[in-house]
Amino acid sequence: MKFLASLILFFCLPFAVYAQEYDSFVLAYQSVQVFDENIAVEFVFEQPKKHKIEAVLKKGAILNLVLQTELKQKKFFRNSVIANHILNYYLRYDPLTRQFSAIQDAKNIARNADPFFLLDVIIKHIQFEIPCILEKDAKYTLHTKIELVQSNTKSWLAPVDFIEADKIIQPFEFDYDFSS
């Protein structure tokens, strides 16, 4: 019996440690408001407890925070996609100023010496509108996926040690069902 317990511990412990090392985003709040010609969407996320973004950014990588949202109409046989919306944010490290930057649409949103503060700035209050006209008394699903992936770029200061994108923060997907 002790042999069996030690065998299980030997094979399962590395996977348990790996699972605890990389958490995913946590959805704290969501709101969907249906108007005449659009849908207003609001999300508030909490960042994972354990992740390695600071080490990856300091090695020269650029991280891309991607929020993908699909609006689907529920039908009897299958759901049909009505609209898509994608938000892209980039996080990078400037070794000369020793500051981290959050960038959207080629504009700096914020700069700070703490990358976790910047990630909080981005994910604490996400608002956008999806332009569409919804049918009355129909059922819809808003499918959302948030992930932090590494862009394949090289730093001019040092070579980048590429790691797998899913090892920084695990992607998080969820659905929100509503009717008009």
Side-chain angles (χ1 to χ4, degrees):
M1 187 59 128
K2 289 182 182 180
F3 175 73
L4 183 61
S6 64
L7 190 63
I8 290 173
L9 184 66
F10 177 74
F11 284 110
C12 294
L13 187 61
F15 296 111
V17 170
Y18 175 78
Q20 291 176 355
E21 188 173 350
Y22 304 107
D23 288 336
S24 182
F25 291 100
V26 176
L27 180 65
Y29 174 77
Q30 69 181 2
S31 170
V32 176
Q33 295 179 346
V34 179
F35 297 110
D36 290 336
E37 296 181 0
N38 63 8
I39 297 174
V41 180
E42 181 179 0
F43 296 118
V44 174
F45 292 100
E46 299 288 328
Q47 61 177 290
K49 296 175 185 162
K50 300 176 183 177
H51 50 83
K52 300 180 177 183
I53 66 167
E54 183 173 10
V56 173
L57 288 170
K58 283 189 174 180
K59 287 182 180 179
I62 296 176
L63 299 180
N64 185 7
L65 180 79
V66 181
L67 181 81
Q68 300 173 340
T69 305
E70 274 187 344
L71 178 64
K72 300 177 184 178
Q73 183 176 9
K74 288 185 171 185
K75 296 196 175 178
F76 185 69
F77 288 112
R78 64 180 181 153
N79 298 343
S80 61
V81 176
I82 297 174
N84 290 324
H85 191 270
I86 297 175
L87 285 174
N88 281 305
Y89 297 96
Y90 295 94
L91 295 170
R92 70 176 188 84
Y93 178 68
D94 184 5
L96 297 175
T97 62
R98 295 184 182 160
Q99 297 249 328
F100 297 91
S101 299
I103 303 165
Q104 182 186 22
D105 299 330
K107 297 177 189 170
N108 273 346
I109 297 173
R111 293 178 70 92
N112 199 305
D114 184 13
F116 306 109
F117 173 78
L118 285 181
L119 191 56
D120 263 349
V121 166
I122 295 172
I123 66 173
K124 282 292 184 185
H125 195 72
I126 298 175
Q127 283 185 318
F128 58 90
E129 293 182 358
I130 301 174
C132 64
I133 299 175
L134 301 180
E135 297 176 12
K136 297 264 186 204
D137 300 325
K139 294 183 179 183
Y140 297 93
T141 298
L142 195 66
H143 178 76
T144 305
K145 179 180 181 182
I146 184 169
E147 60 185 337
L148 187 66
V149 296
Q150 181 175 338
S151 299
N152 291 335
T153 59
K154 291 196 174 196
S155 171
W156 59 274
L157 218 58
V160 176
D161 294 330
F162 288 108
I163 62 172
E164 295 179 29
D166 62 343
K167 288 192 176 181
I168 299 168
I169 296 176
Q170 295 291 336
F172 177 60
E173 294 185 52
F174 59 96
D175 290 326
Y176 179 77
D177 297 329
F178 66 97
S179 52
S180 58

